[in-house]
């Protein structure tokens, strides 16, 4: 058993199938989970920092901070349900999200990160919600799947070269286009 297999056996969720069901590499899975956990915690802290701006009359920054704290809490409940053991539904919610494709999680994370930035474009909002957005980007990359092998890419490139348009003078954009005809000069004595 390699070191990577030992680490993945330690890090797997309870009841998780040890066989890899998708093409995402292990380092990207744990990178997304780690960035989501740390980014969610930082987003909660920076959201609370944004809420302090109510002392200076920044109502939009207060709403932005509350939104950012809620978004950070949602990300933590999905990525690290062990941090929220005191809430009953968190494990069921996390398992439900785990059964969905990666692109669903990517879209949700990117969408919940944006309103806080638009409401209060301060550094705390940009950094806190940016970490959540970065987690969404990682899951979006995971949803694309594995890159093809070098041989597959070479054969695909060789077959698509035959479909490229030629540069001869006789090629046209539309295959059934008729050539333009010239009927002669117009008669001026009409």
């Amino acid at each position: 058993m390699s070191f990577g297999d030992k680490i993945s056996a330690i890090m797997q969720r309870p009841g998780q199938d040890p066989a890899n069901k998708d093409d995402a590499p292990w380092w990207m899975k744990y990178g997304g989970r780690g960035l989501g956990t740390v980014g969610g915690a930082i987003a909660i802290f920076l959201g609370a920092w944004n809420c302090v701006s109510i002392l200076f009359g920044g109502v939009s920054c207060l709403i932005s901070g509350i939104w950012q704290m809620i978004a950070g809490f949602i990300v933590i409940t999905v990525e690290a349900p062990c941090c929220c053991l005191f809430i009953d539904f968190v494990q069921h919610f996390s398992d439900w999200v785990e059964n969905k494709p990666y692109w669903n999680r990517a879209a949700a994370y990117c969408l919940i990160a944006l309103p806080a930035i638009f409401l209060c474009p301060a550094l705390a909002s940009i950094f806190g919600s940016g970490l959540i957005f970065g987690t969404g980007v990682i899951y979006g990359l995971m949803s694309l799947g594995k890159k093809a092998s070098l041989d597959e890419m070479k054969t695909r490139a060789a077959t698509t070269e035959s479909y490229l348009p030629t540069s001869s003078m006789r090629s046209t954009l539309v295959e059934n286009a008729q050539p333009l005809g010239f009927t002669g000069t117009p008669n001026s004595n009409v």
Side-chain angles (χ1 to χ4, degrees):
M1 181 177 247
S2 70
F3 181 70
D5 293 336
K6 289 179 185 177
I7 294 295
S8 62
I10 292 170
M11 297 294 286
Q12 73 183 2
R13 298 168 62 105
Q16 181 181 359
D17 189 14
N20 191 6
K21 293 181 182 176
D22 56 334
D23 294 336
W26 66 271
W27 57 269
M28 193 173 262
K29 286 181 187 178
Y30 295 123
R33 191 168 295 278
L35 181 63
T37 304
V38 172
I42 291 173
I44 290 172
F45 174 74
L46 292 176
W49 184 260
N50 273 349
C51 288
V52 173
S53 68
I54 192 66
L55 298 174
F56 305 112
V59 176
S60 63
C61 286
L62 172 72
I63 296 170
S64 169
I66 293 170
W67 183 276
Q68 189 171 337
M69 287 190 299
I70 292 171
F73 179 73
I74 290 171
V75 171
I76 285 180
T77 57
V78 171
E79 299 299 329
C82 61
C83 295
C84 303
L85 290 175
F86 54 89
I87 303 174
D88 293 334
F89 69 90
V90 168
Q91 188 63 41
H92 297 294
F93 177 66
S94 178
D95 291 338
W96 180 74
V97 173
E98 282 292 322
N99 292 331
K100 302 293 179 193
Y102 287 134
W103 70 266
N104 288 350
R105 199 181 309 183
Y109 287 170
C110 289
L111 287 177
I112 66 172
L114 292 177
I117 296 172
F118 289 139
L119 286 171
C120 180
L123 188 62
S125 296
I126 293 171
F127 185 67
S129 293
L131 291 173
I132 295 172
F133 192 86
T135 305
V137 168
I138 288 177
Y139 279 109
L141 290 174
M142 287 169 54
S143 70
L144 292 176
K146 219 173 169 181
K147 187 174 145 182
S149 68
L150 183 63
D151 294 331
E152 286 181 69
M153 288 190 285
K154 282 182 181 179
T155 57
R156 178 77 50 101
T159 58
T160 56
E161 285 179 3
S162 62
Y163 296 116
L164 294 176
T166 60
S167 62
S168 70
M169 295 295 287
R170 308 219 8 110
S171 66
T172 59
L173 293 175
V174 181
E175 293 295 324
N176 61 355
Q178 299 296 321
L180 295 174
F182 185 70
T183 58
T185 61
N187 194 357
S188 62
N189 293 351
V190 179

